[in-house]
Amino acid sequence: MTLTGCRADRATQQSSSIDSSPTTATAAPAAPSPQPIDEADSAKDPRPVIVCFGDSLTAGYGTEAGQSYPDYLQADLDKLGYRYRVVNAGISGNTTKDGLERVGSILAMKPAVIVVEFGGNDGLRGLRIEDSRANLDKIVGTLKASGARIVLAGITLPPDYGQDYIHQFNETYTMLATKYQTPMLPFLLQGVFGVDGMMQRDQTHATAAGNQIVARNVLTLVTPLLKK
């Protein structure tokens, strides 16, 4: 399926829910990857592209169409007079390995800005920090080498994963932001997690109201990279 705006493939969002429970150890069936924007779509809407690249937190898992954070980011940018097209390239259940495998399809969109949000599923599965860090390093490094501007969005884990593991997990984002000199949002769900009405019952994914806040979190890092 071709992505032609900021709405995510809703079938994609509903097909995989590995993110929803820290105790889940096996992946749900793989969802189809978003396809690059084709030339006809680009001709119809020639605005520079901002790609939101990640897992279910980007895809908007558990919300209705038009309620993912990329949807709200598009609306916020429109209100501020920024002429950019936001594409939701989030797939629920994706790990950093899955993201690395999708880098080519993201580059094919020739984006001006890419918001990278991966790692949560790696952490919930207890995958090796070294492997996740290497995958995310390759993702950010490859995307930045294309000339796109990168924003790195971090996430964290519940306390029962252990202080040492969580520390190393969180440190990955700081290390890569420093290495590649990219703006970083330490916690994508800042102002959302633990706030009444902002999280779904699984306490992992934001509600529509929560995604509006997430969009504002991302907006603060994206707008300095844009032109009017």
Side-chain angles (χ1 to χ4, degrees):
M1 179 177 291
T2 300
L3 291 172
T4 57
C6 74
R7 287 196 177 187
D9 179 353
R10 306 315 295 186
T12 291
Q13 296 175 25
Q14 295 170 2
S15 67
S16 178
S17 57
I18 181 66
D19 319 60
S20 63
S21 173
T23 60
T24 304
T26 57
S33 298
Q35 299 299 311
I37 299 171
D38 61 34
E39 293 182 4
D41 292 328
S42 296
K44 293 176 183 176
D45 190 345
R47 292 177 296 173
V49 172
I50 298 172
V51 176
C52 297
F53 182 33
D55 53 36
S56 63
L57 297 180
T58 294
Y61 178 83
T63 62
E64 299 296 327
Q67 295 180 346
S68 69
Y69 98 71
D71 287 298
Y72 293 119
L73 179 62
Q74 179 75 75
D76 290 341
L77 291 171
D78 290 345
K79 290 177 183 177
L80 293 172
Y82 289 98
R83 293 185 54 78
Y84 287 80
R85 175 168 44 147
V86 179
V87 173
N88 188 335
I91 293 185
S92 297
N94 263 198
T95 62
T96 56
K97 181 177 181 293
D98 298 317
L100 183 58
E101 292 172 352
R102 291 204 285 132
V103 162
S105 68
I106 302 304
L107 292 177
M109 300 182 199
K110 299 179 180 179
V113 177
I114 307 168
V115 182
V116 178
E117 175 271 310
F118 283 104
N121 288 312
D122 296 56
L124 293 179
R125 298 179 188 188
L127 301 182
R128 288 184 0 126
I129 294 293
E130 295 86 352
D131 295 336
S132 299
R133 187 172 293 172
N135 291 336
L136 195 55
D137 190 320
K138 291 178 182 177
I139 290 172
V140 176
T142 303
L143 295 177
K144 185 167 184 181
S146 73
R149 308 293 294 274
I150 309 299
V151 169
L152 185 59
I155 196 69
T156 192
L157 299 171
D160 55 343
Y161 279 79
Q163 184 175 356
D164 184 59
Y165 185 82
I166 294 173
H167 174 74
Q168 293 183 61
F169 180 89
N170 294 344
E171 193 176 43
T172 294
Y173 300 103
T174 304
M175 291 174 61
L176 295 181
T178 300
K179 178 178 179 179
Y180 292 105
Q181 298 183 322
T182 64
M184 182 187 74
L185 181 62
F187 185 37
L188 183 71
L189 299 177
Q190 179 180 337
V192 174
F193 187 80
V195 179
D196 288 345
M198 296 296 175
M199 297 294 293
Q200 297 177 38
R201 292 177 63 183
D202 63 12
Q203 293 303 307
T204 300
H205 301 93
T207 61
N211 279 330
Q212 293 181 55
I213 303 300
V214 172
R216 292 174 201 159
N217 291 342
V218 174
L219 182 71
T220 61
L221 295 184
V222 167
T223 49
L225 308 179
L226 308 181
K227 298 177 181 179
K228 282 192 177 181

